[in-house]
Amino acid sequence: MLQRLFHVNVCVRDMERSIRFYQDIGFTKVSDFTLDDPSVGDALGLKAKKLRGVFMRLGNDANAPVLDLVQFIDPPTQGQPYPTLNNVGICRIAFTVDDIDKTYEELKAKKVEFVAPLKKIDGPGGAKIGVVCFKDPDGTILEL
């Protein structure tokens, strides 16, 4: 059966712009590849013939899950991210940070678009936690 989470895909419109954004928030590019074969679309249930993928990772653990940025080239990436966070399906990707206040200020300085300001709420077990959601260049929502 299932063993571990391998990767999370995020479809992007402009790969270079997305690589810069994710590197700027702490990811490292570990693999960059192009699949130019109509069977790639068959495997995904799409009419795709060509795509570019970039695996990115936080930290140095070779077994850690990767963020798999995908730019469909033929045909191009289409559609929009979910407009709100209460849609069925994967609606956001969440990350832990050492200092949420500092990270929030760093992201604000980078002119990242936030869904709402940082909020401190009561979390599981009575812990006080910080929560903030922001968007990548294509509007995919990320959470701290």
Side-chain angles (χ1 to χ4, degrees):
M1 255 344 242
L2 304 180
Q3 297 174 344
R4 68 180 180 91
L5 179 65
F6 171 54
H7 67 90
V8 174
N9 283 105
V10 175
C11 287
V12 302
R13 293 185 196 286
D14 180 334
M15 184 62 82
E16 296 308 319
R17 176 184 71 174
S18 294
I19 291 170
R20 284 190 304 275
F21 174 84
Y22 283 99
Q23 285 176 327
D24 202 33
I25 64 171
F27 281 84
T28 301
K29 182 166 67 167
V30 294
S31 179
D32 190 332
F33 55 92
T34 299
L35 300 177
D36 191 357
D37 179 344
S39 66
V40 70
D42 296 340
L44 300 173
L46 302 169
K47 298 279 186 214
K49 298 176 190 166
K50 185 175 182 181
L51 63 82
R52 179 178 174 198
V54 172
F55 285 175
M56 303 192 83
R57 180 177 284 130
L58 291 169
N60 298 319
D61 181 354
N63 291 316
V66 293
L67 182 66
D68 181 2
L69 302 179
V70 177
Q71 180 178 1
F72 286 88
I73 298 166
D74 184 14
T77 300
Q78 61 184 354
Q80 299 297 324
Y82 289 132
T84 63
L85 287 172
N86 60 344
N87 286 286
V88 171
I90 298 171
C91 59
R92 66 189 181 279
I93 304 169
F95 303 94
T96 60
V97 295
D98 290 332
D99 183 335
I100 196 163
D101 295 299
K102 179 181 175 191
T103 304
Y104 177 61
E105 292 302 322
E106 290 171 349
L107 291 173
K108 282 182 12 183
K110 295 176 189 291
K111 307 284 191 234
V112 168
E113 181 185 350
F114 290 91
V115 174
L118 171 64
K119 296 292 180 192
K120 303 288 177 89
I121 62 173
D122 293 327
K128 201 66 150 171
I129 61 172
V131 177
V132 66
C133 293
F134 60 102
K135 296 180 179 182
D136 83 352
D138 288 301
T140 299
I141 298 179
L142 309 173
E143 175 189 344
L144 305 176

Short mmCIF file of all heavy atoms in Angstrom, two decimals, residues 15-78:
data_model
loop_
_atom_site.label_atom_id
_atom_site.label_comp_id
_atom_site.label_asym_id
_atom_site.label_seq_id
_atom_site.Cartn_x
_atom_site.Cartn_y
_atom_site.Cartn_z
N MET A 15 7.19 28.95 -16.09
CA MET A 15 8.07 28.16 -15.24
C MET A 15 9.19 28.99 -14.62
O MET A 15 9.47 28.87 -13.43
CB MET A 15 8.65 26.98 -16.02
CG MET A 15 9.51 26.06 -15.17
SD MET A 15 8.61 25.25 -13.82
CE MET A 15 7.85 23.90 -14.71
N GLU A 16 9.85 29.82 -15.41
CA GLU A 16 10.98 30.59 -14.87
C GLU A 16 10.52 31.52 -13.75
O GLU A 16 11.19 31.65 -12.73
CB GLU A 16 11.69 31.36 -15.98
CG GLU A 16 12.34 30.47 -17.03
CD GLU A 16 13.26 29.40 -16.45
OE1 GLU A 16 14.01 29.69 -15.51
OE2 GLU A 16 13.22 28.24 -16.94
N ARG A 17 9.38 32.17 -13.93
CA ARG A 17 8.83 33.05 -12.89
C ARG A 17 8.53 32.25 -11.63
O ARG A 17 8.85 32.68 -10.52
CB ARG A 17 7.56 33.73 -13.42
CG ARG A 17 6.85 34.60 -12.38
CD ARG A 17 5.57 35.17 -12.93
NE ARG A 17 4.58 34.10 -13.06
CZ ARG A 17 3.32 34.29 -13.40
NH1 ARG A 17 2.88 35.51 -13.68
NH2 ARG A 17 2.49 33.28 -13.50
N SER A 18 7.95 31.07 -11.78
CA SER A 18 7.60 30.24 -10.63
C SER A 18 8.85 29.70 -9.93
O SER A 18 8.89 29.66 -8.70
CB SER A 18 6.67 29.10 -11.05
OG SER A 18 5.44 29.63 -11.47
N ILE A 19 9.84 29.30 -10.68
CA ILE A 19 11.09 28.84 -10.07
C ILE A 19 11.68 29.96 -9.20
O ILE A 19 12.07 29.73 -8.06
CB ILE A 19 12.11 28.38 -11.14
CG1 ILE A 19 11.64 27.09 -11.80
CG2 ILE A 19 13.50 28.21 -10.52
CD1 ILE A 19 12.46 26.70 -13.03
N ARG A 20 11.74 31.17 -9.74
CA ARG A 20 12.29 32.31 -8.97
C ARG A 20 11.49 32.52 -7.68
O ARG A 20 12.07 32.72 -6.61
CB ARG A 20 12.29 33.58 -9.81
CG ARG A 20 13.39 33.63 -10.86
CD ARG A 20 13.51 35.00 -11.52
NE ARG A 20 12.27 35.47 -12.13
CZ ARG A 20 11.86 35.17 -13.35
NH1 ARG A 20 12.59 34.38 -14.12
NH2 ARG A 20 10.74 35.66 -13.83
N PHE A 21 10.16 32.48 -7.79
CA PHE A 21 9.31 32.69 -6.60
C PHE A 21 9.59 31.64 -5.54
O PHE A 21 9.83 31.97 -4.38
CB PHE A 21 7.83 32.65 -7.01
CG PHE A 21 6.90 32.72 -5.83
CD1 PHE A 21 6.55 33.94 -5.27
CD2 PHE A 21 6.39 31.56 -5.26
CE1 PHE A 21 5.69 34.01 -4.18
CE2 PHE A 21 5.53 31.61 -4.16
CZ PHE A 21 5.18 32.84 -3.62
N TYR A 22 9.56 30.37 -5.92
CA TYR A 22 9.74 29.31 -4.93
C TYR A 22 11.16 29.27 -4.37
O TYR A 22 11.36 28.98 -3.20
CB TYR A 22 9.29 27.95 -5.49
CG TYR A 22 7.77 27.85 -5.50
CD1 TYR A 22 7.04 28.10 -6.65
CD2 TYR A 22 7.07 27.54 -4.34
CE1 TYR A 22 5.64 28.02 -6.65
CE2 TYR A 22 5.70 27.46 -4.33
CZ TYR A 22 4.99 27.71 -5.48
OH TYR A 22 3.61 27.65 -5.46
N GLN A 23 12.16 29.61 -5.19
CA GLN A 23 13.52 29.71 -4.65
C GLN A 23 13.61 30.86 -3.66
O GLN A 23 14.27 30.75 -2.63
CB GLN A 23 14.54 29.91 -5.78
CG GLN A 23 14.80 28.64 -6.57
CD GLN A 23 15.73 28.85 -7.75
OE1 GLN A 23 15.74 29.91 -8.39
NE2 GLN A 23 16.49 27.82 -8.08
N ASP A 24 12.91 31.94 -3.94
CA ASP A 24 12.94 33.11 -3.08
C ASP A 24 12.31 32.84 -1.71
O ASP A 24 12.63 33.52 -0.74
CB ASP A 24 12.22 34.27 -3.78
CG ASP A 24 12.62 35.63 -3.24
OD1 ASP A 24 13.78 35.79 -2.83
OD2 ASP A 24 11.76 36.53 -3.25
N ILE A 25 11.42 31.84 -1.63
CA ILE A 25 10.82 31.52 -0.33
C ILE A 25 11.44 30.28 0.31
O ILE A 25 10.93 29.76 1.29
CB ILE A 25 9.28 31.41 -0.39
CG1 ILE A 25 8.82 30.26 -1.28
CG2 ILE A 25 8.66 32.74 -0.83
CD1 ILE A 25 7.31 29.99 -1.20
N GLY A 26 12.58 29.80 -0.25
CA GLY A 26 13.34 28.77 0.43
C GLY A 26 13.50 27.42 -0.25
O GLY A 26 14.19 26.54 0.26
N PHE A 27 12.89 27.21 -1.41
CA PHE A 27 13.01 25.94 -2.11
C PHE A 27 14.30 25.90 -2.93
O PHE A 27 14.80 26.93 -3.37
CB PHE A 27 11.83 25.71 -3.06
CG PHE A 27 10.57 25.26 -2.39
CD1 PHE A 27 9.70 26.16 -1.82
CD2 PHE A 27 10.25 23.90 -2.32
CE1 PHE A 27 8.53 25.75 -1.20
CE2 PHE A 27 9.09 23.47 -1.71
CZ PHE A 27 8.23 24.40 -1.14
N THR A 28 14.80 24.69 -3.16
CA THR A 28 15.95 24.45 -4.02
C THR A 28 15.51 23.57 -5.18
O THR A 28 14.81 22.58 -4.97
CB THR A 28 17.07 23.73 -3.23
OG1 THR A 28 17.44 24.55 -2.13
CG2 THR A 28 18.28 23.48 -4.10
N LYS A 29 15.95 23.92 -6.38
CA LYS A 29 15.63 23.11 -7.55
C LYS A 29 16.51 21.87 -7.53
O LYS A 29 17.74 21.97 -7.42
CB LYS A 29 15.84 23.91 -8.83
CG LYS A 29 15.48 23.15 -10.09
CD LYS A 29 15.36 24.02 -11.33
CE LYS A 29 16.65 24.60 -11.76
NZ LYS A 29 16.58 25.19 -13.12
N VAL A 30 15.89 20.68 -7.63
CA VAL A 30 16.65 19.44 -7.61
C VAL A 30 16.57 18.67 -8.93
O VAL A 30 17.38 17.80 -9.17
CB VAL A 30 16.24 18.52 -6.44
CG1 VAL A 30 16.59 19.16 -5.11
CG2 VAL A 30 14.77 18.15 -6.48
N SER A 31 15.62 19.02 -9.80
CA SER A 31 15.50 18.33 -11.07
C SER A 31 14.70 19.20 -12.02
O SER A 31 13.76 19.88 -11.62
CB SER A 31 14.78 16.99 -10.86
OG SER A 31 14.62 16.31 -12.08
N ASP A 32 15.09 19.20 -13.29
CA ASP A 32 14.41 19.98 -14.32
C ASP A 32 14.34 19.09 -15.56
O ASP A 32 15.37 18.63 -16.05
CB ASP A 32 15.23 21.25 -14.61
CG ASP A 32 14.50 22.26 -15.47
OD1 ASP A 32 13.65 21.87 -16.29
OD2 ASP A 32 14.83 23.45 -15.35
N PHE A 33 13.13 18.82 -16.05
CA PHE A 33 13.00 17.86 -17.15
C PHE A 33 11.85 18.25 -18.06
O PHE A 33 10.93 18.96 -17.67
CB PHE A 33 12.78 16.45 -16.60
CG PHE A 33 11.60 16.33 -15.67
CD1 PHE A 33 10.35 15.99 -16.16
CD2 PHE A 33 11.75 16.57 -14.32
CE1 PHE A 33 9.25 15.90 -15.30
CE2 PHE A 33 10.66 16.48 -13.45
CZ PHE A 33 9.41 16.14 -13.94
N THR A 34 11.94 17.79 -19.30
CA THR A 34 10.86 17.97 -20.27
C THR A 34 10.42 16.59 -20.73
O THR A 34 11.27 15.74 -21.03
CB THR A 34 11.35 18.80 -21.47
OG1 THR A 34 11.75 20.09 -21.00
CG2 THR A 34 10.25 18.97 -22.50
N LEU A 35 9.12 16.39 -20.76
CA LEU A 35 8.55 15.15 -21.29
C LEU A 35 7.87 15.52 -22.61
O LEU A 35 6.93 16.30 -22.62
CB LEU A 35 7.55 14.54 -20.32
CG LEU A 35 8.10 14.16 -18.94
CD1 LEU A 35 6.98 13.64 -18.04
CD2 LEU A 35 9.21 13.15 -19.06
N ASP A 36 8.39 15.00 -23.70
CA ASP A 36 7.89 15.30 -25.04
C ASP A 36 7.44 14.00 -25.68
O ASP A 36 8.12 13.42 -26.51
CB ASP A 36 9.00 15.97 -25.85
CG ASP A 36 8.50 16.57 -27.16
OD1 ASP A 36 7.29 16.43 -27.46
OD2 ASP A 36 9.30 17.17 -27.87
N ASP A 37 6.27 13.52 -25.25
CA ASP A 37 5.79 12.21 -25.66
C ASP A 37 4.27 12.18 -25.44
O ASP A 37 3.82 12.42 -24.33
CB ASP A 37 6.49 11.15 -24.80
CG ASP A 37 6.05 9.73 -25.12
OD1 ASP A 37 5.01 9.52 -25.77
OD2 ASP A 37 6.77 8.81 -24.69
N PRO A 38 3.49 11.92 -26.46
CA PRO A 38 2.03 11.90 -26.30
C PRO A 38 1.55 10.93 -25.21
O PRO A 38 0.48 11.13 -24.65
CB PRO A 38 1.52 11.46 -27.67
CG PRO A 38 2.59 11.85 -28.62
CD PRO A 38 3.88 11.70 -27.85
N SER A 39 2.35 9.93 -24.86
CA SER A 39 1.90 9.00 -23.83
C SER A 39 1.89 9.64 -22.44
O SER A 39 1.23 9.13 -21.54
CB SER A 39 2.76 7.72 -23.82
OG SER A 39 4.08 8.01 -23.45
N VAL A 40 2.59 10.78 -22.26
CA VAL A 40 2.52 11.46 -20.96
C VAL A 40 1.09 11.93 -20.71
O VAL A 40 0.58 11.82 -19.60
CB VAL A 40 3.54 12.62 -20.84
CG1 VAL A 40 3.18 13.79 -21.72
CG2 VAL A 40 3.63 13.09 -19.39
N GLY A 41 0.45 12.43 -21.73
CA GLY A 41 -0.95 12.84 -21.59
C GLY A 41 -1.85 11.66 -21.33
O GLY A 41 -2.77 11.74 -20.50
N ASP A 42 -1.60 10.54 -22.01
CA ASP A 42 -2.39 9.34 -21.78
C ASP A 42 -2.31 8.91 -20.32
O ASP A 42 -3.30 8.52 -19.72
CB ASP A 42 -1.90 8.20 -22.68
CG ASP A 42 -2.10 8.48 -24.16
OD1 ASP A 42 -2.94 9.35 -24.49
OD2 ASP A 42 -1.43 7.83 -24.97
N ALA A 43 -1.11 8.99 -19.74
CA ALA A 43 -0.91 8.57 -18.35
C ALA A 43 -1.67 9.48 -17.38
O ALA A 43 -2.08 9.05 -16.30
CB ALA A 43 0.57 8.56 -18.00
N LEU A 44 -1.87 10.75 -17.77
CA LEU A 44 -2.53 11.73 -16.91
C LEU A 44 -4.01 11.92 -17.25
O LEU A 44 -4.69 12.72 -16.63
CB LEU A 44 -1.81 13.08 -16.99
CG LEU A 44 -0.33 13.07 -16.57
CD1 LEU A 44 0.30 14.42 -16.86
CD2 LEU A 44 -0.20 12.70 -15.10
N GLY A 45 -4.48 11.21 -18.26
CA GLY A 45 -5.88 11.36 -18.66
C GLY A 45 -6.14 12.67 -19.38
O GLY A 45 -7.24 13.21 -19.32
N LEU A 46 -5.11 13.20 -20.05
CA LEU A 46 -5.20 14.48 -20.76
C LEU A 46 -4.78 14.30 -22.21
O LEU A 46 -4.16 13.31 -22.57
CB LEU A 46 -4.27 15.51 -20.12
CG LEU A 46 -4.46 15.83 -18.65
CD1 LEU A 46 -3.29 16.66 -18.15
CD2 LEU A 46 -5.76 16.58 -18.45
N LYS A 47 -5.04 15.31 -23.00
CA LYS A 47 -4.56 15.33 -24.38
C LYS A 47 -3.25 16.11 -24.44
O LYS A 47 -3.04 16.93 -25.32
CB LYS A 47 -5.60 15.98 -25.29
CG LYS A 47 -6.91 15.26 -25.34
CD LYS A 47 -6.82 14.10 -26.29
CE LYS A 47 -8.21 13.48 -26.43
NZ LYS A 47 -8.17 12.06 -26.60
N ALA A 48 -2.36 15.90 -23.49
CA ALA A 48 -1.09 16.62 -23.43
C ALA A 48 -0.02 15.84 -24.18
O ALA A 48 0.07 14.63 -24.08
CB ALA A 48 -0.68 16.82 -21.98
N LYS A 49 0.80 16.58 -24.93
CA LYS A 49 1.90 15.97 -25.67
C LYS A 49 3.26 16.34 -25.08
O LYS A 49 4.22 15.61 -25.26
CB LYS A 49 1.86 16.43 -27.13
CG LYS A 49 0.60 16.02 -27.85
CD LYS A 49 0.60 16.61 -29.24
CE LYS A 49 -0.75 16.40 -29.90
NZ LYS A 49 -0.92 17.21 -31.08
N LYS A 50 3.34 17.52 -24.44
CA LYS A 50 4.63 17.99 -23.95
C LYS A 50 4.44 18.81 -22.69
O LYS A 50 3.53 19.64 -22.61
CB LYS A 50 5.31 18.84 -25.04
CG LYS A 50 6.70 19.30 -24.69
CD LYS A 50 7.32 20.04 -25.87
CE LYS A 50 8.74 20.47 -25.57
NZ LYS A 50 9.34 21.20 -26.70
N LEU A 51 5.33 18.58 -21.71
CA LEU A 51 5.30 19.36 -20.48
C LEU A 51 6.71 19.49 -19.93
O LEU A 51 7.60 18.72 -20.25
CB LEU A 51 4.38 18.73 -19.42
CG LEU A 51 4.71 17.35 -18.87
CD1 LEU A 51 5.74 17.40 -17.75
CD2 LEU A 51 3.43 16.70 -18.34
N ARG A 52 6.89 20.50 -19.12
CA ARG A 52 8.15 20.69 -18.39
C ARG A 52 7.86 20.53 -16.91
O ARG A 52 6.87 21.06 -16.41
CB ARG A 52 8.72 22.07 -18.65
CG ARG A 52 10.03 22.33 -17.90
CD ARG A 52 10.61 23.68 -18.21
NE ARG A 52 11.78 23.96 -17.39
CZ ARG A 52 12.27 25.16 -17.21
NH1 ARG A 52 11.71 26.21 -17.81
NH2 ARG A 52 13.33 25.33 -16.44
N GLY A 53 8.72 19.81 -16.23
CA GLY A 53 8.57 19.62 -14.80
C GLY A 53 9.83 20.05 -14.07
O GLY A 53 10.94 19.89 -14.59
N VAL A 54 9.66 20.62 -12.90
CA VAL A 54 10.78 21.00 -12.04
C VAL A 54 10.46 20.52 -10.64
O VAL A 54 9.42 20.89 -10.08
CB VAL A 54 11.03 22.52 -12.06
CG1 VAL A 54 12.06 22.92 -11.01
CG2 VAL A 54 11.49 22.96 -13.45
N PHE A 55 11.32 19.65 -10.10
CA PHE A 55 11.18 19.21 -8.72
C PHE A 55 11.95 20.18 -7.84
O PHE A 55 13.11 20.50 -8.11
CB PHE A 55 11.77 17.81 -8.52
CG PHE A 55 10.93 16.68 -9.05
CD1 PHE A 55 11.43 15.39 -9.01
CD2 PHE A 55 9.68 16.87 -9.59
CE1 PHE A 55 10.69 14.31 -9.48
CE2 PHE A 55 8.93 15.82 -10.08
CZ PHE A 55 9.43 14.54 -10.03
N MET A 56 11.29 20.64 -6.76
CA MET A 56 11.92 21.54 -5.80
C MET A 56 11.72 20.96 -4.41
O MET A 56 10.73 20.29 -4.15
CB MET A 56 11.31 22.94 -5.91
CG MET A 56 11.43 23.51 -7.32
SD MET A 56 11.05 25.25 -7.43
CE MET A 56 12.62 25.94 -6.93
N ARG A 57 12.68 21.23 -3.53
CA ARG A 57 12.62 20.63 -2.19
C ARG A 57 13.04 21.65 -1.14
O ARG A 57 13.87 22.52 -1.39
CB ARG A 57 13.57 19.42 -2.16
CG ARG A 57 13.60 18.72 -0.84
CD ARG A 57 14.48 17.47 -0.86
NE ARG A 57 13.78 16.40 -1.56
CZ ARG A 57 14.30 15.68 -2.54
NH1 ARG A 57 15.52 15.87 -2.95
NH2 ARG A 57 13.60 14.73 -3.11
N LEU A 58 12.45 21.50 0.03
CA LEU A 58 12.89 22.26 1.21
C LEU A 58 13.89 21.39 1.96
O LEU A 58 13.63 20.22 2.21
CB LEU A 58 11.70 22.56 2.13
CG LEU A 58 10.69 23.56 1.58
CD1 LEU A 58 9.44 23.59 2.45
CD2 LEU A 58 11.30 24.95 1.49
N GLY A 59 15.03 21.94 2.32
CA GLY A 59 16.03 21.20 3.07
C GLY A 59 16.82 20.23 2.22
O GLY A 59 16.74 20.25 0.99
N ASN A 60 17.60 19.37 2.90
CA ASN A 60 18.53 18.49 2.20
C ASN A 60 18.16 17.01 2.27
O ASN A 60 18.92 16.18 1.80
CB ASN A 60 19.94 18.66 2.81
CG ASN A 60 20.45 20.07 2.62
OD1 ASN A 60 20.26 20.67 1.58
ND2 ASN A 60 21.07 20.61 3.65
N ASP A 61 17.03 16.68 2.86
CA ASP A 61 16.64 15.28 2.98
C ASP A 61 16.19 14.75 1.62
O ASP A 61 15.16 15.17 1.09
CB ASP A 61 15.52 15.15 4.01
CG ASP A 61 15.04 13.72 4.23
OD1 ASP A 61 15.49 12.80 3.50
OD2 ASP A 61 14.21 13.51 5.13
N ALA A 62 16.97 13.82 1.06
CA ALA A 62 16.65 13.27 -0.27
C ALA A 62 15.32 12.53 -0.29
O ALA A 62 14.75 12.31 -1.36
CB ALA A 62 17.77 12.35 -0.73
N ASN A 63 14.80 12.14 0.87
CA ASN A 63 13.52 11.44 0.94
C ASN A 63 12.35 12.36 1.27
O ASN A 63 11.22 11.89 1.38
CB ASN A 63 13.60 10.31 1.97
CG ASN A 63 14.52 9.20 1.50
OD1 ASN A 63 14.46 8.79 0.34
ND2 ASN A 63 15.38 8.74 2.37
N ALA A 64 12.62 13.64 1.44
CA ALA A 64 11.55 14.59 1.73
C ALA A 64 10.66 14.76 0.50
O ALA A 64 11.14 14.63 -0.64
CB ALA A 64 12.12 15.94 2.15
N PRO A 65 9.38 15.03 0.69
CA PRO A 65 8.50 15.26 -0.46
C PRO A 65 9.00 16.43 -1.30
O PRO A 65 9.65 17.34 -0.79
CB PRO A 65 7.15 15.59 0.16
CG PRO A 65 7.23 15.08 1.55
CD PRO A 65 8.67 15.15 1.95
N VAL A 66 8.70 16.40 -2.59
CA VAL A 66 9.10 17.49 -3.47
C VAL A 66 7.86 18.24 -3.97
O VAL A 66 6.76 17.69 -4.06
CB VAL A 66 9.93 16.99 -4.68
CG1 VAL A 66 11.28 16.46 -4.24
CG2 VAL A 66 9.20 15.97 -5.51
N LEU A 67 8.08 19.49 -4.26
CA LEU A 67 7.09 20.31 -4.95
C LEU A 67 7.39 20.13 -6.43
O LEU A 67 8.51 20.39 -6.87
CB LEU A 67 7.23 21.77 -4.53
CG LEU A 67 6.24 22.75 -5.12
CD1 LEU A 67 4.83 22.44 -4.63
CD2 LEU A 67 6.63 24.17 -4.77
N ASP A 68 6.42 19.65 -7.18
CA ASP A 68 6.60 19.36 -8.60
C ASP A 68 5.87 20.44 -9.39
O ASP A 68 4.65 20.39 -9.55
CB ASP A 68 6.03 17.97 -8.89
CG ASP A 68 6.17 17.53 -10.33
OD1 ASP A 68 6.74 18.29 -11.15
OD2 ASP A 68 5.69 16.44 -10.66
N LEU A 69 6.63 21.43 -9.86
CA LEU A 69 6.05 22.46 -10.70
C LEU A 69 5.90 21.89 -12.11
O LEU A 69 6.84 21.28 -12.63
CB LEU A 69 6.94 23.70 -10.74
CG LEU A 69 7.26 24.37 -9.41
CD1 LEU A 69 8.17 25.58 -9.63
CD2 LEU A 69 5.99 24.77 -8.68
N VAL A 70 4.74 22.06 -12.72
CA VAL A 70 4.48 21.53 -14.05
C VAL A 70 3.94 22.65 -14.93
O VAL A 70 2.97 23.32 -14.58
CB VAL A 70 3.45 20.38 -14.01
CG1 VAL A 70 3.14 19.90 -15.41
CG2 VAL A 70 3.96 19.24 -13.15
N GLN A 71 4.60 22.84 -16.07
CA GLN A 71 4.10 23.75 -17.08
C GLN A 71 3.77 22.93 -18.32
O GLN A 71 4.66 22.36 -18.94
CB GLN A 71 5.12 24.84 -17.43
CG GLN A 71 4.59 25.80 -18.48
CD GLN A 71 5.57 26.91 -18.81
OE1 GLN A 71 6.68 26.98 -18.30
NE2 GLN A 71 5.14 27.79 -19.70
N PHE A 72 2.48 22.84 -18.62
CA PHE A 72 2.08 22.15 -19.84
C PHE A 72 2.41 23.04 -21.02
O PHE A 72 2.08 24.22 -21.04
CB PHE A 72 0.58 21.80 -19.80
CG PHE A 72 0.29 20.66 -18.86
CD1 PHE A 72 0.05 20.88 -17.52
CD2 PHE A 72 0.28 19.35 -19.33
CE1 PHE A 72 -0.20 19.83 -16.65
CE2 PHE A 72 0.04 18.29 -18.47
CZ PHE A 72 -0.21 18.53 -17.13
N ILE A 73 3.07 22.46 -22.01
CA ILE A 73 3.52 23.22 -23.17
C ILE A 73 2.63 22.98 -24.38
O ILE A 73 2.25 23.90 -25.08
CB ILE A 73 5.00 22.88 -23.49
CG1 ILE A 73 5.87 23.27 -22.28
CG2 ILE A 73 5.47 23.56 -24.77
CD1 ILE A 73 7.27 22.71 -22.30
N ASP A 74 2.27 21.71 -24.61
CA ASP A 74 1.42 21.38 -25.75
C ASP A 74 0.36 20.37 -25.31
O ASP A 74 0.68 19.19 -25.16
CB ASP A 74 2.26 20.80 -26.89
CG ASP A 74 1.44 20.51 -28.14
OD1 ASP A 74 0.28 21.00 -28.23
OD2 ASP A 74 1.95 19.80 -29.03
N PRO A 75 -0.87 20.81 -25.12
CA PRO A 75 -1.34 22.20 -25.10
C PRO A 75 -0.91 22.90 -23.82
O PRO A 75 -0.54 22.26 -22.84
CB PRO A 75 -2.86 22.06 -25.17
CG PRO A 75 -3.16 20.75 -24.53
CD PRO A 75 -1.97 19.87 -24.85
N PRO A 76 -0.98 24.25 -23.79
CA PRO A 76 -0.51 25.00 -22.62
C PRO A 76 -1.39 24.80 -21.38
O PRO A 76 -2.56 24.41 -21.49
CB PRO A 76 -0.54 26.45 -23.09
CG PRO A 76 -1.44 26.47 -24.27
CD PRO A 76 -1.44 25.10 -24.87
N THR A 77 -0.80 25.11 -20.23
CA THR A 77 -1.53 25.10 -18.96
C THR A 77 -2.77 25.97 -19.12
O THR A 77 -2.74 27.01 -19.76
CB THR A 77 -0.62 25.66 -17.83
OG1 THR A 77 0.53 24.83 -17.73
CG2 THR A 77 -1.35 25.70 -16.50
N GLN A 78 -3.87 25.53 -18.51
CA GLN A 78 -5.13 26.28 -18.64
C GLN A 78 -5.83 26.41 -17.29
O GLN A 78 -5.46 25.77 -16.32
CB GLN A 78 -6.05 25.59 -19.64
CG GLN A 78 -6.43 24.18 -19.23
CD GLN A 78 -7.28 23.51 -20.31
OE1 GLN A 78 -7.68 24.11 -21.29
NE2 GLN A 78 -7.57 22.25 -20.10
#
